[in-house]
Amino acid sequence: MNVLTDNFHTYAQGFLGTLELTVYSSVLALLLGFLMASFRVAPVGSLRIFGTAWVTVLRNTPLTLLFFAVLLGLPRFGLVLPFQVFAVLALGCYTSAFVCEALRSGINTVPRGQGEAARSLGMTFGQTLQLVILPQAFRSVIPPVGSTLIALAKNSAIAGAFSVTELLGTYRTLSELGYNIVWTFVWIAVGYLVITLAISALFNLMERTWGVAR
């Protein structure tokens, strides 16, 4: 227990760092995922191609490689930002590909006739998607999107290797101070457990409120 009490400030900094990465990256992933899912079902061919390329490339690229590309590649093009912002970009973009596919699978569960009926009433593609398709699709994709964001929280541990303050990185500081490595990792695991259980509880609540009855 003294590992936690003696180093509570260090753990708290790492925990808050992971929490910030998770929240900001989740928002970015949801926004980009929604946009790419819209592109993938759009009637415009160029948008479908762009959305497909986005998902294909990011889903088949190792996250660590994407971190290297963002944190070390973008500054070479004159884009210099704090490492935490680069980490959010890498995590958010990577996870958006999985959110996109979850949303697209939900969109595909909505009967095609509903979209055709909306268009027959004079609604545009954007209006049909926003007012008819997505509200129904959203109800069926709550569990997979929740699982994707839980994976994002755990993937944020990679950011510690790139000078970003996060929970897993606290083990280096405590190891140098001579603390028991086993208990160091036990409390790190507890921190991740708190975050992932909070996300799970939130999405369970959303599923009970809006989810499809099974």
Side-chain angles (χ1 to χ4, degrees), residues 9-212:
H9 179 69
T10 301
Y11 273 114
Q13 278 188 320
F15 180 83
L16 291 176
T18 294
L19 189 61
E20 288 181 358
L21 281 175
T22 301
V23 171
Y24 295 146
S25 300
S26 295
V27 171
L28 179 61
L30 290 172
L31 292 175
L32 287 176
F34 164 75
L35 182 63
M36 292 303 142
S38 301
F39 282 3
R40 295 211 65 183
V41 298
V44 181
S46 57
L47 293 180
R48 291 198 303 273
I49 292 172
F50 182 86
T52 301
W54 178 276
V55 170
T56 301
V57 170
L58 290 176
R59 289 185 71 186
N60 293 284
T61 300
L63 181 55
T64 304
L65 179 60
L66 187 60
F67 264 88
F68 275 112
V70 172
L71 274 78
L72 303 180
L74 292 182
R76 292 178 177 271
F77 295 95
L79 185 59
V80 179
L81 296 170
F83 273 15
Q84 186 180 33
V85 176
F86 282 135
V88 168
L89 288 175
L91 281 169
C93 290
Y94 177 79
T95 308
S96 70
F98 297 89
V99 172
C100 168
E101 288 302 274
L103 289 174
R104 190 170 72 92
S105 67
I107 290 172
N108 289 336
T109 65
V110 179
R112 185 184 297 272
Q114 299 208 19
E116 294 173 349
R119 287 192 294 272
S120 69
L121 294 174
M123 298 175 69
T124 64
F125 170 74
Q127 291 173 327
T128 301
L129 193 65
Q130 180 182 357
L131 301 176
V132 178
I133 305 299
L134 283 179
Q136 298 179 71
F138 168 75
R139 299 176 63 197
S140 65
V141 301
I142 294 174
V145 169
S147 298
T148 300
L149 297 187
I150 288 174
L152 182 153
K154 293 183 286 187
N155 287 338
S156 67
I158 297 176
F162 297 90
S163 303
V164 177
T165 301
E166 52 80 42
L167 190 55
L168 183 61
T170 59
Y171 88 90
R172 288 191 295 270
T173 301
L174 301 185
S175 178
E176 292 171 358
L177 294 175
Y179 286 95
N180 186 301
I181 193 66
V182 174
W183 283 105
T184 298
F185 278 110
V186 165
W187 290 113
I188 288 173
V190 169
Y192 279 108
L193 188 64
V194 169
I195 293 174
T196 54
L197 287 179
I199 297 172
S200 179
L202 174 61
F203 277 84
N204 284 338
L205 176 61
M206 293 171 64
E207 186 177 13
R208 287 197 302 270
T209 305
W210 297 302
V212 177

